[in-house]
Amino acid sequence: MTTSAPIVVLSVVSEIFPLVKTGGLADVAGALPAALAPEHVRVVTLVPGYPAVLKALDEVVPVLQIADLFGNPAKLLHGRAHGLELIAIDAPHLYNRPGNPYMAPDGRDWPDNAIRFGALGKVAASLAAGAVPSFQPHVLHAHDWQSGLAAAYLRYGHERGPRTVTTVHNLAFQGLFPASLLPALALPPQAYSINGVEFHGEIGFLKAGLALADWITTVSPTYAAEIRTPEYGMGLDGLLRVRTERLSGILNGIDDAVWNPATDPLIAAKFDARRIAPRIANKAVLKQRLGLANDDALLFGVVSRLTWQKGLDMLVEVLPTLLATGAQLVVLGTGERALQQAFIDAARIHQGRVGCVIGYDEELAHLIQAGADALLMPSRYEPCGLAQMCALRYGTLPVVAHVGGLADTVIDCNDMAIAEGVGTGVQFTPTIGMLEAAILRTTALWRNGRVWRRVQRNAMRADVSWRRSARRYAQLYRDLLAEKGR
Ligand code: ADP
Ligand code: GLC
């Protein structure tokens, strides 16, 4: 192909912002297509036809009828929504359900998730292999375990196919299912091998994607290095070490139109790096909303899933230290019941000093980013993390664990960085003691208003957009296409 012809990428993903989102995966899937357009890359995203997807789809054209997709007929619908070019799998028996993409409203995984996301991989492979003649992708780009089987269906079911990339957003979610499902998934017996879908006696969706893709990426260079080690590899480090020449880390960005404090319609007062002062109005509104005492205390914020990964149980442990400095805390999140309860209790016991909202609230997330002084992310591991990048953009100093993408996006305000004028936040090793020390360091920094404002300006000027990373993905696609295909 010539360099001027656009590269066509079939992106395969189980959630996409703003249609369906449970985490950062949706943000990435939703933002990358627009970021890649200036790089001459056309991204068409294949998504399950959940009710929210079918409802949002515009300019709908049916492009393929499938007589039998795991028990019932299905249709592929090409359409657009919010500037995204999509192909939705209209298969009511698989996707027309309430709740989030993975769980029923009672919080339990759908019992047929293997088939639901097997179907996503199967359709992806047939599209990639040319099932719709007018649509011939050059690259199949699969995200996380839910899309992991695409590479397997391609390898074991089709003669030809495009180049393939698997991106890992979180190695903890591996999509492991009983080996007995192999026939139900319509995979041939030879797929169940150490080089294919088999993983410790089960079918591993993510493992298949990692073993069979032409290239593996993950969402930060540090996480790409970490996951080759037993400490972070979640049992897949051996495979990742074998494939080390085919694994790279490309940082996420954030959508700087959605996250722009100068234009954000969800915040009380707009501001930018040259006019930071209006932030104070956001802080006042935030405090009022959460019932926090109206003094000039340093306000720490948390916007996060409440899970082991995020290390927020450590924050509960060090809360007495945080409060002893005179600081306040606001937490927005949802997740593990015990952790939710711990923050609800803290807000009750420390009324006026700790505020807590359990739930998913886009608007409040923006207000916290615009009104808190610092954002806490004590993650035990963090493939990339997006909230700290939003925080940088909004002048909320990220106080983050030195892991994964947090290590790659925040510049610690050590003495040298302050002297050089380059610090943008605070980093620490994710242990209780070091989190405590980081809170004390942040408090000390806060007391020096001049330095704090300087760090805020540095943070707000950091480039957290998709531009650099979009160029890297485009280059990766070009490099793969330049290699000899199958
Ligand atoms: P992860 O994908 O591991 O949850 P990320 O930091 O990559 O973490 O992305 C999470 C995204 O979801 C961020 O944009 C964050 O602001 C947002 N988010 C997390 N929890 C909530 C919540 N309770 N309400 C609103 N937004 C949330
Ligand atoms: C995952 C990771 C998070 C990352 C996001 C998007 O949810 O936990 O660190 O930012 O995917 O890549």
Side-chain angles (χ1 to χ4, degrees), residues 25 109 143-146 167-177 199 202-207 210 218-219 223 226-227 229-237 240 305 307-310 336 380-384:
L25 171 62
D109 281 355
H143 297 270
D144 270 356
W145 75 264
Q146 296 89 345
T167 293
V168 182
H169 296 262
N170 194 335
L171 211 55
F173 302 107
Q174 300 188 354
L176 290 175
F177 298 98
F199 189 56
E202 295 192 279
I203 298 172
F205 276 44
L206 180 62
K207 187 266 172 164
L210 298 177
T218 186
V219 287
Y223 194 58
E226 288 169 342
I227 59 179
T229 69
E231 194 186 347
Y232 293 95
M234 310 246 174
L236 285 161
D237 46 294
L240 292 168
R305 289 187 292 118
T307 62
W308 182 85
Q309 173 191 348
K310 303 294 178 179
E336 288 162 14
R380 290 191 168 87
Y381 72 93
E382 195 62 75
C384 181

Side-chain angles (χ1 to χ4, degrees), residues 21-25 27 170 259 303-305 309-310 332-334 359-362 365 369 377 382 385-388 390:
K21 165 168 162 175
T22 70
L25 171 62
D27 291 311
N170 194 335
W259 292 99
V303 180
S304 181
R305 289 187 292 118
Q309 173 191 348
K310 303 294 178 179
L332 167 63
T334 135
Y360 186 88
D361 186 336
E362 200 77 42
Q369 293 287 10
M377 292 182 76
E382 195 62 75
L386 300 173
Q388 85 281 9
C390 303

Side-chain angles (χ1 to χ4, degrees), residues 463-474:
D463 182 2
V464 289
S465 77
W466 270 106
R467 272 176 288 277
R468 243 176 309 141
S469 298
R471 243 175 272 141
R472 298 218 165 109
Y473 277 111

